[in-house]
Amino acid sequence: MATEPFEALVVGARCAGSGAAIALARAGRRVLAIDRATFPSDTLSTHANFPSAVVEMRRLGVLDRVLALNPPRCCFGMVEAQGVRCRERFSPYKGIDYGLSVPRPEFDLALVETAREAGAEVRERTTLLDVHFADGRVSGARLRERDGREYDVSCRLIVGADGRRSTVAKKVGADVPYRGSRNGRGAAFWYLDDPLVGTDWQRTLIQYRMRETHALIFPCPGDQLLLLYMGPAADIARFRSDPDGMWEQMLAENPPVAERVAGHAHRSKVRSTAETTAFFRHSSGSGWALTGDAGHFKDPIIGQGMRDAMRFGRLLGEAAAPVLEDPATLDAALREVERRRDFECLPTYHWGNRESRVMPPSAIVHEALRWMNAEPRSELLRLFDRTGHPQAVLSPWRGARWATRALLRPGADRKAILAEALEEVRIDTDLYRERLLARLGGQPRITRPSADERTDYSWPARAVSRTEGILDEQPAEVAPVG
């Protein structure tokens, strides 16, 4: 069989892959995107999209399709920690003042349809078998259809958007991360009917913090909502062995959650993962690039994965499209996108690592929420929406203010507060040093571990079964939920 000629091959067609394929196709390039799944199909996800992520949907041209699903436009965000609440309205970002939460079968189908409309060829049920090289550069790939048929394609560029267990990363020798952090939380979620349809609660993205567990509640289309628990990773085995018992336990331990979902009529099967190791991989080389979860992964508790996957998939496609015929210029463009990704995403990576620490909400967290709730600038939501840098919103100077207020509260555990404050100062100092080195060094890959990282992770991450699932761009086939 003759080799099929393409200019670019994109492996994985969800957020990052479709983003890259759309950008390449709109530039007039002949691009093939493949995915092992069929669409619509499910993948584990936090679902969260804050206004800056909605802007990315608009840039890709997928927003109209997403809005046609009639998702609640969530104009409010809220964090509550054991009774201390901060609820704010999103400030407009490039004209968008709402967040969206859409299950992945519908969301990813909208992306794939948009990629096809842009001119990309998308082949479902298609697997990457091998990557071909010529004179040290990627020259093509070997693919297999679901029916067993194998064939070769040629390309000037291969984009790995195939998730944390990226086959592309393995084939180009970039599988092992150069830095990472073992995160302490697992994830388990249900869909359920929303008992508060038509109220402001249906327009509010919520994070409740009770004891050692974060509970996220995101309204979805069809008058449903997503209830996601992120507690100790060791609890995930109990969510699988006794989901009904864990449902009742979580409601008993989280009274605000029980109040929010009281009266719901239906609950789906639980979905879960205990493996959320965060990492960065080498993500560009001679005719190849990694994007989305294939290139780097942050703890999902901060809800930034979909936004960054769409954004950097698109930026990769836009940068590569004009220079595909010039190998040296193409490689430089791919490297520049990787450097930009690192510079933008390292702060949120560190933020996610800190949020992954399994600990009850502290007195300092309570003071931070009180202060943010009294501020008119929506400081909390600037953090989630990426319009505020984590090291600015959660700066050491503000931390000192919050710690001081906590120390002055009657009955304060001053020893614990001081110990936490010192630990935060240690982490902040290290992160400022890292950012300074990145600026002075032209943003090279930084491999030195930072104080927020827990480097006792293992790689490759343990295998998971079909029923277990994984937070990935392109998982093994999994059954739909809801």
Side-chain angles (χ1 to χ4, degrees):
M1 181 180 295
T3 298
E4 292 188 65
F6 291 93
E7 292 177 288
L9 171 65
V10 180
V11 182
R14 297 187 187 268
C15 293
S18 281
I22 289 167
L24 287 160
R26 283 181 179 160
R29 296 302 190 172
R30 189 177 183 205
V31 53
L32 170 64
I34 66 169
D35 203 291
R36 291 177 298 175
T38 56
F39 296 97
S41 65
D42 192 34
T43 186
L44 280 170
S45 172
T46 60
H47 298 54
N49 288 281
F50 302 103
S52 62
V54 179
V55 169
E56 291 300 327
M57 297 178 206
R58 187 174 65 189
R59 286 170 171 155
L60 286 173
V62 74
L63 181 57
D64 287 345
R65 281 189 168 93
V66 173
L67 292 179
L69 300 169
N70 199 29
R73 300 192 187 194
C74 294
C75 300
F76 301 93
M78 189 182 94
V79 174
E80 181 174 323
Q82 294 184 178
V84 179
R85 174 180 297 182
C86 178
R87 184 173 185 266
E88 300 174 346
R89 191 180 187 103
F90 286 107
S91 297
Y93 177 72
K94 298 186 182 299
I96 300 293
D97 64 353
Y98 58 87
L100 298 173
S101 177
V102 177
R104 294 298 293 271
E106 295 83 359
F107 188 88
D108 293 343
L109 177 61
L111 282 166
V112 167
E113 289 174 340
T114 303
R116 285 178 168 142
E117 183 179 73
E121 182 173 348
V122 182
R123 296 181 186 174
E124 303 170 46
R125 297 187 176 185
T126 301
T127 301
L128 174 73
L129 294 180
D130 203 1
V131 174
H132 301 323
F133 293 86
D135 299 324
R137 297 190 60 80
V138 166
S139 61
R142 182 77 172 174
L143 308 180
R144 181 174 61 206
E145 304 284 353
R146 181 64 60 88
D147 62 8
R149 183 174 68 94
E150 296 184 10
Y151 56 95
D152 293 313
V153 299
S154 63
C155 60
R156 294 188 174 98
L157 169 67
I158 184 168
V159 176
D162 49 342
R164 296 194 301 161
R165 291 176 174 76
S166 170
T167 301
V168 175
K170 293 184 179 70
K171 297 300 181 180
V172 300
D175 180 46
V176 179
Y178 63 84
R179 71 182 302 172
S181 179
R182 178 187 57 79
N183 291 342
R185 296 183 183 274
F189 73 78
W190 290 267
Y191 295 107
L192 52 148
D193 295 333
D194 191 344
L196 298 180
V197 170
T199 71
D200 270 353
W201 289 109
Q202 199 187 18
R203 299 195 299 146
T204 305
L205 302 172
I206 299 174
Q207 181 189 101
Y208 288 116
R209 302 183 180 201
M210 300 292 293
R211 300 187 182 182
E212 295 181 336
T213 297
H214 292 194
L216 312 179
I217 297 180
F218 300 147
C220 297
D223 293 338
Q224 288 195 312
L225 57 80
L226 176 85
L227 172 53
L228 168 65
Y229 287 110
M230 296 203 68
D235 286 350
I236 296 302
R238 295 170 58 203
F239 277 100
R240 295 173 185 151
S241 64
D242 184 17
D244 291 337
M246 286 301 289
W247 171 267
E248 296 299 333
Q249 179 179 324
M250 287 295 99
L251 293 186
E253 293 180 357
N254 295 269
V257 177
E259 182 179 356
R260 173 64 179 87
V261 305
H264 73 278
H266 175 264
R267 183 174 84 243
S268 72
K269 294 181 179 179
V270 68
R271 297 291 304 282
S272 63
T273 180
E275 214 319 292
T276 59
T277 297
F279 63 82
F280 281 82
R281 282 187 176 118
H282 293 263
S283 297
S284 60
S286 299
W288 62 268
L290 304 177
T291 190
D293 289 354
H296 97 290
F297 183 79
K298 298 177 290 292
D299 193 275
I301 198 166
I302 57 176
Q304 302 296 316
M306 293 174 70
R307 181 259 190 197
D308 285 344
M310 289 185 287
R311 175 173 174 77
F312 290 101
R314 173 182 61 82
L315 290 175
L316 178 64
E318 291 174 349
V323 295
L324 283 175
E325 288 83 7
D326 185 338
T329 306
L330 172 62
D331 293 350
L334 300 177
R335 179 71 180 104
E336 183 56 34
V337 172
E338 181 183 358
R339 291 155 72 97
R340 182 175 179 179
R341 178 206 70 185
D342 290 356
F343 192 71
E344 289 189 26
C345 294
L346 267 171
T348 44
Y349 165 81
H350 294 307
W351 172 33
N353 292 342
R354 293 168 98 160
E355 290 294 323
S356 176
R357 294 175 296 182
V358 178
M359 55 190 292
S362 69
I364 296 178
V365 169
H366 290 159
E367 294 301 331
L369 291 177
R370 290 188 181 101
W371 180 83
M372 290 179 180
N373 200 45
E375 288 292 309
R377 298 189 299 271
S378 299
E379 289 290 302
L380 177 66
L381 297 189
R382 288 180 63 236
L383 183 63
F384 283 96
D385 204 27
R386 305 285 281 280
T387 55
H389 193 285
Q391 287 171 248
V393 176
L394 305 175
S395 70
W397 298 273
R398 288 178 176 176
R401 178 188 303 181
W402 301 330
T404 300
R405 290 184 176 184
L407 288 166
L408 294 175
R409 292 261 174 200
D413 185 344
R414 293 180 174 82
K415 183 177 180 180
I417 293 168
L418 288 171
E420 180 185 358
L422 289 173
E423 174 66 10
E424 297 302 320
V425 167
R426 184 179 74 87
I427 292 174
D428 283 330
T429 301
D430 199 51
L431 300 188
Y432 274 104
R433 183 190 302 118
E434 176 184 88
R435 194 162 179 84
L436 177 62
L437 290 173
R439 287 185 184 277
L440 294 177
Q443 305 165 33
R445 297 183 181 112
I446 298 174
T447 60
R448 181 186 63 84
S450 296
D452 70 292
E453 291 175 302
R454 294 175 291 282
T455 58
D456 57 336
Y457 66 93
S458 61
W459 200 269
R462 61 183 178 79
V464 291
S465 66
R466 288 187 176 188
T467 56
E468 181 178 343
I470 192 69
L471 285 159
D472 243 343
E473 287 287 336
Q474 184 176 346
E477 298 98 359
V478 291
V481 294

